[in-house]
Amino acid sequence: MSIKEHPPQSEENDEHNSNNSSVLHVPVLLETALQLLSPKEGESYLDLTAGFGGHASEFLARTKNYSQSVLVDRDDYAIERLKSLSDKGARLLHTDFVSAAKQLIEAGEKFNIVLVDLGVSSPQLDQSDRGFSFTNSGPLDMRMDRRQDVSAQTLVNNASAEDLTRIINRYGEEPIGFARQIATAIVGARPLSTTEELANLIKQTYRGKWKKTHPATRTFQALRIAVNDELRLIEDLLPRLPDLLKPGGRVGIISFHSLEDRLVKRFFKDQFDLGLESELQPLTKKPIAGDIYDVHNPRARSSKFRAAVKK
Ligand SMILES: C[S@@+](CC[C@H](N)C(=O)[O-])C[C@H]1O[C@@H](n2cnc3c(N)ncnc32)[C@H](O)[C@@H]1O
C-alpha cells in the first residue's frame, strides 16, 4: 500500500460541502483500516467508538468472532443502532472509551484488533436536534452522551468571556482577536438557545470577512470539544491502548483535526522512540490520508489513519 502525505486538515465540523439531507454513516478509511489491521477469522475486535457500526460490521464479518468482541460508544442513539451486532453476540458498552478501557483492563481482557475512530459521526452532525450543526437549526446541545449535565447551552450562557475566548481559541484554533470578539458578542447576546442564533451571531461578528470556511466552523468545533471533554479523554486513553492488545494485536486510530492528530502522533512517536523497550511498533510510518474526493462522507477529506502493532 502506498502511504500518502496528508493534505492540510480542515475542521471536522466544516459543513461547507456536506450533504445534510440523509442520516447515513459511511465509514471513513475503511479499506485502509481493513488492509492494515488485517482481521482474521477467530480474532477478537474492540471498537472504542463504534458509532453506527460501519467499521465494526465489516471487521466482524471477517473475524466472525462476535462473542469475544466489544463495541463501545457514549451515545445512546449509536448504542441503539448497534443492537443488530449485539444480537449476533457482540458486547455493547454504553460509556466513554476511558471508562470502557479501564473496565476491560481490570477484567484482564485483551484483543487482536482495537479501532478508535475519533470525533462525531455524520448522523450526529446531521440530526439537528443534537445541536452539533450550524447549518441545521436545533437546540445548543452538542452532548455525545445525553446523560451528562453540561451542554453547549450551559457553556454559552454561563462561561465568562475569558473562558469562552480561551475555548474558542484553543479548541477551535480561532485566531485570538476573533475568538475574543465572538466571546464578547456571545456574552452580550445571552441567553442563546439555538445553533442558528449562535451561527448568525458569529457571522455578524465576522462582518463578511471570511472566504471558504463558514465562520461558525471553528467555534462549533471548540464548543463540541469542550462540552465532551474530547482531548482530555484521548490523552487518557492513549497510554492504556497497549494493555488492551494481545501480543501481535493491532491498533488503528482515525483522527479528523490537528488537535486530535497531534496527540496521537506524539503518543506513537514516544512509543516508537523507546526502541527495544517500546510495546508498540509502527504499522504506518506516516499517516494515511482519507479520500479528499469522498462524496459519500465529506469528513473523510480531513481524516488521518495511524496504526501500530503490539510486540
Ligand atoms: C466517527 S464516529 C464512529 C463511526 C464508526 N466508526 C462507524 O463506522 O459507524 C465516532 C463515534 O465515537 C463516539 N465517541 C466519541 N468520543 C467518544 C468517547 N470518548 N467515548 C466513547 N465514544 C465516543 C461518538 O459518539 C461517535 O458515535
Side-chain angles (χ1 to χ4, degrees):
M1 155 168 305
S2 67
I3 311 279
K4 284 184 274 175
E5 274 291 358
H6 200 273
Q9 282 192 295
S10 64
E11 294 84 351
E12 182 180 5
N13 267 0
D14 180 359
E15 300 166 63
H16 193 67
N17 293 320
S18 77
N19 169 7
N20 287 329
S21 59
S22 61
V23 179
L24 260 182
H25 186 78
V26 180
V28 166
L29 283 158
L30 175 64
E31 285 312 316
T32 302
L34 288 171
Q35 229 171 315
L36 279 162
L37 303 180
S38 56
K40 293 171 197 65
E41 200 166 325
E43 288 191 321
S44 52
Y45 174 71
L46 169 62
D47 196 323
L48 287 167
T49 52
F52 269 41
H55 289 99
S57 52
E58 294 292 335
F59 275 85
L60 290 170
R62 286 159 177 81
T63 62
K64 298 186 174 66
N65 185 354
Y66 291 84
S67 63
Q68 284 175 19
S69 296
V70 177
L71 311 178
V72 178
D73 207 290
R74 70 206 290 207
D75 183 341
D76 58 317
Y77 186 60
I79 290 293
E80 192 55 42
R81 300 297 293 261
L82 291 165
K83 286 272 158 63
S84 59
L85 294 172
S86 76
D87 287 345
K88 294 183 177 172
R91 201 166 2 131
L92 302 185
L93 291 181
H94 180 201
T95 185
D96 71 82
F97 49 50
V98 173
S99 306
K102 284 183 185 167
Q103 193 178 316
L104 294 165
I105 291 166
E106 219 167 274
E109 292 192 56
K110 292 184 189 290
F111 299 84
N112 297 107
I113 297 169
V114 176
L115 185 68
V116 191
D117 178 14
L118 291 166
V120 274
S121 62
S122 309
Q124 284 169 328
L125 277 174
D126 291 348
Q127 286 176 294
S128 52
D129 63 326
R130 303 300 302 270
F132 288 105
S133 167
F134 52 81
T135 51
N136 308 321
S137 189
L140 269 173
D141 191 331
M142 301 195 192
R143 289 168 304 164
M144 290 185 193
D145 188 336
R146 288 184 274 191
R147 297 169 298 188
Q148 85 177 38
D149 294 331
V150 176
S151 67
Q153 194 158 344
T154 327
L155 264 188
V156 160
N157 291 325
N158 296 289
S160 65
E162 293 71 38
D163 282 347
L164 286 171
T165 303
R166 185 182 48 77
I167 288 170
I168 296 167
N169 172 244
R170 192 176 294 173
Y171 298 153
E173 299 188 283
E174 179 77 54
I176 188 71
F178 276 120
R180 206 169 280 132
Q181 283 182 44
I182 293 167
T184 308
I186 289 174
V187 170
R190 296 203 289 217
L192 295 167
S193 56
T194 67
T195 54
E196 193 178 18
E197 283 176 284
L198 179 61
N200 286 338
L201 189 69
I202 297 167
K203 247 170 49 185
Q204 284 160 21
T205 311
Y206 259 80
R207 289 188 221 99
K209 283 185 253 158
W210 78 86
K211 290 190 182 126
K212 249 174 68 189
T213 306
H214 190 291
T217 304
R218 288 183 286 276
T219 299
F220 271 63
Q221 173 181 299
L223 291 172
R224 195 203 86 201
I225 290 175
V227 166
N228 297 291
D229 204 5
E230 290 181 40
L231 300 180
R232 188 189 62 78
L233 285 169
I234 297 170
E235 271 185 303
D236 259 20
L237 172 70
L238 293 171
R240 299 179 202 276
L241 290 174
D243 293 335
L244 288 165
L245 289 166
K246 294 184 179 183
R250 288 84 69 201
V251 56
I253 307 180
I254 302 172
S255 64
F256 290 90
H257 55 73
S258 50
L259 297 170
E260 286 171 351
D261 186 58
R262 222 171 281 155
L263 297 176
V264 179
K265 179 180 173 180
R266 195 178 62 208
F267 167 69
F268 277 169
K269 183 174 181 307
D270 288 351
Q271 269 288 323
F272 306 154
D273 283 352
L274 289 171
L276 287 178
E277 282 167 34
S278 75
E279 293 181 276
L280 299 177
Q281 276 182 326
L283 282 172
T284 48
K285 285 226 167 74
K286 283 185 177 159
I288 298 180
D291 181 359
I292 57 169
Y293 302 109
D294 188 336
V295 290
H296 301 295
N297 194 340
R299 292 168 67 251
R301 71 194 156 133
S302 64
S303 59
K304 281 185 179 182
F305 181 82
R306 295 179 189 270
V309 56
K310 171 129 174 190
K311 285 183 182 167

